[in-house]
Amino acid sequence: MADGTTWDETRAQERRGGEGNGTGGSGNAAPVRDALFDRVPPHDDDAEMAVLGGMLMSKDAIGEVSQMIDVTDFYQPKHQTIYDAIIGLFSASQPVDVVLVANKLLAEGNLEKVGGADYLHSLVASVPTAANATYYADIVHQRAVLRNVIAAGTKIAQLGYSAEGSQAEDVVNLAQAEVYEMSVGKVRQDYSAIGPVVQETLEQLDKLQNGQMEKGVPTGFTDIDDVTQGLQPGQMIVVAGRPAMGKSTLGIDFARAAALKHGLTTVVFSLEMSKVELAQRIISAETGIPLVVLRRADAENLTSDRWTQLNNFWARMQDAPLFIDDSPNMSLMEIRAKCRRLKQTNDLKLVVIDYLQLMTSGKHVESRQQEVSEFSRALKLLAKELEVPVVALSQLNRGPEMRNDKKPQLSDLRESGSIEQDADVVFLVHRPDFYDKEDRPGEADIIMAKHRNGPTETFHLVFQGDRSRFNNMPQDYNNQGV
């Protein structure tokens, strides 16, 4: 540190910071550099005692308080232990009072650690009624938030001081992630015992089987949803194809299905098309009005009936949870920050980025391949952090055009093999009639070249380029022997 104090010595000073139940330290002015460590963290012992007392008096108070605060919101370790015991009995549908909580603490070997049965009785005596338990719980939670702010600020400061040799944007991203984690109230835990994880997985499986749980973000295509069970939270999905093959159209189809058909908040970052161009494609796909009519806007084709369609569509879009961002030269850091904000404010469910190779990092890199690799890895981490599927569109190299059948392969992903490595699902868009107008006109193959959690498959869709959309193939398609 600047005064020569080591990190371990500073931590020792923090632990010796003093006793107290208020929000500040002593009245003596401390040097500015030590102010962060020489104060007792914000907490309110009286409020913590009142919350626990109310919970010991009323089962209703337990239900309300447990929705507002977590065990880590308590500053005093003994209060955390008592809260855990109360919630343990409540979760097991057992009655809760001083005697039963004392017996549970005794069985766990914690009764003397919290001050004995006398301390539990003092908690009940500290509040005249359980009616104000939620008020006290809010005080406890607010103090915990302030402690989290201090902890995050301390960590961010250390990131800044220890960032020698690192890119400033990397440090900013880490700082943003720290603030995001604090603001949503998550507590980072790097490990979990296998038992509870298996139990949670089986419970999810049971809910899924009984139709009590959503399968994932629907794509709008029956066969794809059947194999993938929807786009899963935390997954990075790559949609790749040669120019003009329809990869942007498929990505927007995913966004339309999620936002406009199922009401799931979706954001599209369009680095290639403007908002107006994107809106024209969405309008054409949703209304069936040909894209060329919207672009020419001549009176002969844009009739009064079509204007009625457009006005009705506009009315439906007023509260649609679909967001479009066409900011020029958008950096990865901007995308991450905007996604985090939408997750907090609108419960973001799907991200679509069009397209990967147009993203910029704004910093010097050794090669374009290394830069794209960083983008790919960062988008996968973003998907896991926000627990949403991220659909990244990507270009393919000229490999398909060198083959007789023109079919794309996984190895054709342009500029980086790490895209293939990071992606959970890779869709390759192939339209035979793009190369030969007589070869299956109006049909498209969506080749699932990678599926980390299941089998690969090739899906046959109808391509309606004039309306900028793909559609499900008619049910009798396979019976025609095509």
Side-chain angles (χ1 to χ4, degrees):
M1 301 186 72
D3 62 350
T5 305
T6 66
W7 173 249
D8 289 336
E9 289 170 345
T10 305
R11 294 294 292 170
Q13 292 174 15
E14 181 183 7
R15 288 193 293 269
R16 294 194 301 267
E19 302 293 333
N21 60 0
T23 60
S26 64
N28 298 327
V32 174
R33 65 176 182 274
D34 296 326
L36 188 61
F37 302 105
D38 285 353
R39 295 186 181 182
V40 177
H43 67 287
D44 191 322
D45 285 348
D46 292 335
E48 292 187 7
M49 294 173 67
V51 168
L52 296 174
M55 296 173 76
L56 288 169
M57 293 173 64
S58 168
K59 198 169 185 177
D60 292 337
I62 299 174
E64 293 178 1
V65 168
S66 64
Q67 299 298 314
M68 298 175 61
I69 60 176
D70 191 65
V71 63
T72 55
D73 287 346
F74 289 91
Y75 177 73
Q76 296 293 351
K78 63 182 179 181
H79 292 161
Q80 294 182 355
T81 303
I82 296 170
Y83 180 83
D84 258 341
I86 293 173
I87 295 298
L89 290 171
F90 182 74
S91 300
S93 300
Q94 297 181 26
V96 178
D97 58 30
V98 172
V99 175
L100 292 172
V101 171
N103 285 337
K104 181 174 176 60
L105 290 170
L106 180 63
E108 295 172 348
N110 291 326
L111 184 58
E112 293 306 316
K113 295 177 183 178
V114 302
D118 289 343
Y119 187 72
L120 296 179
H121 283 286
S122 72
L123 293 176
V124 175
S126 68
V127 284
T129 173
N132 294 330
T134 55
Y135 172 78
Y136 298 126
D138 185 59
I139 296 175
V140 172
H141 177 67
Q142 293 301 323
R143 297 296 188 274
V145 170
L146 293 177
R147 293 198 300 274
N148 288 340
V149 169
I150 293 171
T154 304
K155 187 166 184 179
I156 290 170
Q158 291 303 319
L159 286 172
Y161 280 117
S162 62
E164 294 182 8
S166 301
Q167 289 287 339
E169 283 197 0
D170 294 337
V171 178
V172 170
N173 176 53
L174 290 172
Q176 283 183 341
E178 195 68 31
V179 173
Y180 171 78
E181 186 173 306
M182 174 199 68
S183 62
V184 296
K186 290 185 179 178
V187 178
R188 179 176 293 162
Q189 181 171 315
D190 297 323
Y191 54 84
S192 298
I194 186 63
V197 175
V198 171
Q199 179 183 347
E200 182 181 351
T201 303
L202 295 181
E203 287 174 353
Q204 287 184 355
L205 191 63
D206 182 55
K207 290 179 180 178
L208 196 61
Q209 187 178 44
N210 295 326
Q212 299 173 335
M213 185 176 177
E214 292 292 333
K215 293 185 177 181
V217 177
T219 65
F221 302 106
T222 307
D223 292 341
I224 295 178
D225 286 337
D226 186 52
V227 172
T228 62
Q229 298 298 294
L231 307 179
Q232 300 299 317
Q235 283 189 343
M236 175 183 169
I237 298 97
V238 172
V239 176
R242 291 292 295 152
M245 194 61 68
K247 61 182 181 297
S248 295
T249 300
L250 187 62
I252 299 305
D253 282 346
F254 289 172
R256 289 194 301 111
L260 307 186
K261 302 296 191 297
H262 295 88
L264 303 176
T265 301
T266 301
V267 61
V268 177
F269 294 100
S270 178
L271 285 75
E272 186 174 35
M273 290 181 284
S274 69
K275 284 188 285 192
V276 172
E277 289 177 299
L278 208 50
Q280 286 176 339
R281 289 184 173 222
I282 293 172
I283 293 169
S284 178
E286 287 291 318
T287 63
I289 298 174
L291 194 57
V292 66
V293 172
L294 299 177
R295 286 176 174 167
R296 290 179 180 173
D298 57 296
E300 182 180 350
N301 291 301
L302 199 54
T303 61
S304 58
D305 288 343
R306 282 178 168 167
W307 266 114
T308 301
Q309 275 185 279
L310 293 173
N311 288 327
N312 290 338
F313 175 71
W314 173 76
R316 286 194 292 117
M317 291 300 100
Q318 294 309 297
D319 298 316
L322 179 58
F323 297 87
I324 298 172
D325 192 327
D326 66 347
S327 304
N329 301 319
M330 201 178 317
S331 69
L332 179 59
M333 187 171 67
E334 284 183 82
I335 290 174
R336 282 188 296 227
K338 290 172 179 177
C339 288
R340 286 167 180 150
R341 193 178 308 126
L342 277 172
K343 182 66 175 179
Q344 290 176 286
T345 58
N346 296 81
D347 192 21
L348 182 64
K349 293 295 186 182
L350 177 64
V351 178
V352 178
I353 299 174
D354 184 12
Y355 59 93
L356 197 59
Q357 282 80 9
L358 288 179
M359 293 172 62
T360 61
S361 62
K363 61 184 181 182
H364 177 73
V365 291
E366 293 181 7
S367 67
R368 178 61 180 167
Q369 181 174 346
Q370 179 186 343
E371 189 173 36
V372 174
S373 295
E374 289 182 10
F375 296 154
S376 172
R377 186 63 185 151
L379 292 178
K380 171 59 181 174
L381 293 176
L382 180 68
K384 291 185 68 176
E385 176 189 341
L386 300 185
E387 297 179 347
V388 300
V390 173
V391 177
L393 309 188
S394 177
Q395 284 240 6
L396 294 178
N397 60 32
R398 296 181 181 274
E401 294 168 7
M402 306 300 177
R403 303 185 189 101
N404 291 332
D405 60 4
K406 310 297 185 185
K407 282 192 175 182
Q409 298 177 0
L410 202 55
S411 58
D412 297 328
L413 282 167
R414 185 176 169 185
E415 289 184 325
S416 178
S418 67
I419 301 176
E420 174 186 345
Q421 175 184 324
D422 295 328
D424 296 280
V425 179
V426 176
F427 293 114
L428 305 177
V429 183
H430 175 57
R431 291 192 291 115
D433 64 356
F434 182 83
Y435 301 102
D436 180 357
K437 294 187 182 299
E438 302 301 319
D439 188 1
R440 297 168 54 201
E443 297 184 18
D445 294 333
I446 308 301
I447 303 167
M448 183 190 279
K450 180 181 179 182
H451 186 200
R452 198 187 299 276
N453 299 321
T456 57
E457 185 67 81
T458 296
F459 307 100
H460 305 291
L461 300 179
V462 176
F463 178 68
Q464 297 177 319
D466 60 331
R467 290 167 173 78
S468 191
R469 67 188 181 190
F470 288 88
N471 272 332
N472 287 305
M473 192 66 74
Q475 292 183 352
D476 60 350
Y477 169 78
N478 290 327
N479 297 329
Q480 296 175 2
V482 180

